[in-house]
Each structure stands twice: as structure tokens, then as C-alpha cells.
Amino acid sequence: MSYRTRANMMMIGVNVFWGMSYVFMKMGLSSLGSFTIIALRCLIAFFIAGLFFHKPLRQITRKTILSSAILGLLLFSVFAFVTFGVSMTSASNAGFLVSLTVIFVPLLHCLLVKKLPSWPIGLGVITTLTGIGVLTLKHPFHMNAGDLLCIGTALCYAIHITLTGTFTKNENPIALGILQLGFAGLFALTCSFLFEHPSIPTTLSSWIAILGLGVFCSAIGFICQAIAQHYTTPTHTGLIFATEPIFAALFAALFLHELFTLKELIGSVIVVAGILIAQLDNLLLKKRVHYQETLPK
């Protein structure tokens, strides 16, 4: 099994945790402010990850700190935009618009490398976006301030994925993954003191929500993302992120007793098909490399 395949499998595991995050967020928002939740999840993740992976932090450079601050600001923006965006639009519109990350990532990557994506990537993006639409979009579709914030979420997420792929090529991915959580937590804590009345969880459900968000969805999730992106491309990462609405729907059905309809099942199948189509890019690349190696020198 190649490193890229292992990295893609790791990213799918990350999306399982992020699918759970919607359940945890719903539990936490009943008693805590939005910025407070973001601050607690990021700072808990920062301290836990730093405790277990303290060795890479001993070798950080000024460049690593700067890169982590940029990623942390983007990460905070993603959390903030989606929290307020969902409060002003329908869940179906939000799910579709946030998933536009699948489109933004390959577009940003193409701008950076200055070339068009291969046909498997292009077809995979179109198929995946179609599946997301079937999975989350309902009629009628309206555009409001919340929708614009969700588009902003998708754009910030795409920039975060693209820059993570760039930074991890030259920096320690574990150090980046840990430090970005610390910076995101500091940005959120500052906003919590400015715009809310920060507090700690007082109920069992809110503690479960914060610890779930901090340990699984943030500490494990974002560090695994940074490690995985060292071995795979931002475009493949963006496509795999399209599985997040699927896991979110499954966990909502299991824990919140929301109905998983036939329409959602069909959309999930289309999303998986799009991801598999995009993986053809790896096979074609291997064939090209093998063909070139067999050519006479």
C-alpha cells in the first residue's frame, strides 16, 4: 500500500470524526456561546496534542510559528463563519455551500501550479458536487447573509487545505498541526471575551460535547490532516472531505434520531463514486511513470 493511499485512508478517518462534530456542536450550543466552544475545543486539543507530541515542538522555527499562525487564523475563520452561517440559513443550504470546498480546492491548486486538472479530477469534482447537491440541497434555494458566510467558510477551508499542503512539504506537519490549534484557540478566546460571557461547561452533555470536539474532532483530526497532506495532494484531500456530509448524516440518524432518507442514500453513493473516479488520477500517473521507465534511454 503506497503512502498516498494510506494518507487518503487517514483523511477518510478524519472525516468520520468531523462528521461527529455536528452532533457535538448541537449538544454544546445549548449552553455555551459559539466563540467559547471554538476556544475550548481548540485549546483542549492544543494541550492534549502538545502533551503527547512534545518532541516536534522543541525544534520549531520562526517560520513554523508564522505558518501555524496563518493556518490558525484560517481555521478560526472556518469555525466562526460556519457557526454564524448555519444560524442564518437552512441546514440544507449550509451543507451544500460549505461543501463547495470540493470545487474551490482544485481551482486554487490549478492557480498555484498554473495548469488545468486532469480529466479524472475534473470529472470526480463534478460527480462529487452533484452527489453533495442530491444529499443536502432542498427546494427552494435562497441566497442570504447566512449563505454568503457559508461560502466564506468553504473558501477559507479550501485556502487552509491548500496552504497546509504547501507548508507541510517544508515544515514538520505535527508541529504545524499542534500550533495552529493553539493560535485558533487564542483568536477564539479573544473574541469570546469581547463578544460573549465565557464560561466552562456545567452539564454532562456539554462536557461530552467539548471533550469530543477537542480530543477527537480537533486534536486527532487536524494533526492527522497535517500528517496525511504531507503524502497526498490538496485536490485529493478536498475531494475526500466531501464524505463529511455522509458521516454527519449517519451520526445524526444514530444519535439525534434524524431520518436518513433514500434521497440522502443516493447522494452518498454519488459522492463516493466521484471520489473513486478522482482516484483514477493515481492509476494513470503510475502507468505514465511505468511507461516512461520502460522507454529506451
Side-chain angles (χ1 to χ4, degrees):
M1 186 182 296
S2 66
Y3 283 114
R4 176 173 287 188
T5 301
R6 292 178 183 177
N8 289 338
M9 291 177 64
M10 184 182 291
M11 288 308 308
I12 292 174
V14 168
N15 275 270
V16 173
F17 290 136
W18 287 342
M20 294 171 61
S21 70
Y22 293 96
V23 176
F24 291 137
M25 284 288 288
K26 201 162 189 176
M27 293 168 60
L29 282 170
S30 61
S31 58
L32 296 169
S34 300
F35 288 127
T36 302
I37 289 177
I38 298 170
L40 287 172
R41 73 177 288 183
C42 291
L43 292 177
I44 288 174
F46 170 72
F47 286 114
I48 291 177
L51 182 64
F52 284 95
F53 300 100
H54 56 87
K55 288 185 178 180
L57 296 178
R58 297 176 183 175
Q59 302 173 351
I60 59 174
T61 63
R62 184 178 299 178
K63 185 179 179 181
T64 303
I65 294 174
L66 178 60
S67 299
S68 301
I70 294 171
L71 293 179
L73 179 60
L74 288 168
L75 192 59
F76 165 71
S77 301
V78 168
F79 289 146
F81 282 174
V82 73
T83 301
F84 289 103
V86 168
S87 68
M88 291 184 283
T89 188
S90 67
S92 59
N93 281 12
F96 177 75
L97 293 171
V98 171
S99 296
L100 287 175
T101 301
V102 176
I103 296 297
F104 288 146
V105 169
L107 290 178
L108 289 173
H109 184 65
C110 288
L111 288 175
L112 288 175
V113 300
K114 297 180 180 179
K115 69 175 183 179
L116 294 174
S118 63
W119 72 263
I121 295 294
L123 182 58
V125 166
I126 294 172
T127 304
T128 302
L129 187 61
T130 301
I132 292 170
V134 173
L135 182 66
T136 61
L137 196 60
K138 295 181 177 67
H139 182 77
F141 181 82
H142 300 290
M143 183 70 69
N144 55 33
D147 297 326
L148 294 176
L149 285 173
C150 289
I151 293 175
T153 302
L155 183 58
C156 288
Y157 215 170
I159 297 172
H160 180 273
I161 292 170
T162 303
L163 289 183
T164 298
T166 301
F167 292 158
T168 53
K169 296 297 186 288
N170 302 310
E171 305 288 336
N172 187 300
I174 296 178
L176 279 174
I178 295 173
L179 290 177
Q180 71 169 344
L181 290 168
F183 280 110
L186 288 176
F187 293 138
L189 188 62
T190 302
C191 289
S192 179
F193 277 103
L194 289 174
F195 305 111
E196 297 175 350
H197 299 286
S199 61
I200 62 173
T202 56
T203 64
L204 178 61
S205 63
S206 58
W207 271 114
I208 292 173
I210 291 301
L211 291 176
L213 288 168
V215 177
F216 297 104
C217 304
S218 299
I220 296 176
F222 285 101
I223 291 175
C224 286
Q225 177 195 345
I227 294 172
Q229 283 200 247
H230 186 70
Y231 300 101
T232 190
T233 65
T235 298
H236 279 96
T237 301
L239 285 167
I240 292 172
F241 277 2
T243 61
E244 184 179 329
I246 299 174
F247 293 120
L250 289 174
F251 286 120
L254 287 173
F255 298 107
L256 301 178
H257 307 292
E258 295 182 2
L259 186 63
F260 194 73
T261 64
L262 177 62
K263 174 176 173 288
E264 290 170 331
L265 178 61
I266 294 172
S268 301
V269 171
I270 297 173
V271 167
V272 173
I275 294 171
L276 292 176
I277 290 171
Q279 296 306 310
L280 292 174
D281 185 57
N282 286 338
L283 296 176
L284 293 176
L285 178 61
K286 289 179 181 179
K287 287 185 177 181
R288 286 196 297 269
V289 171
H290 178 71
Y291 174 74
Q292 290 174 356
E293 289 177 347
T294 58
L295 291 175
K297 303 295 183 180

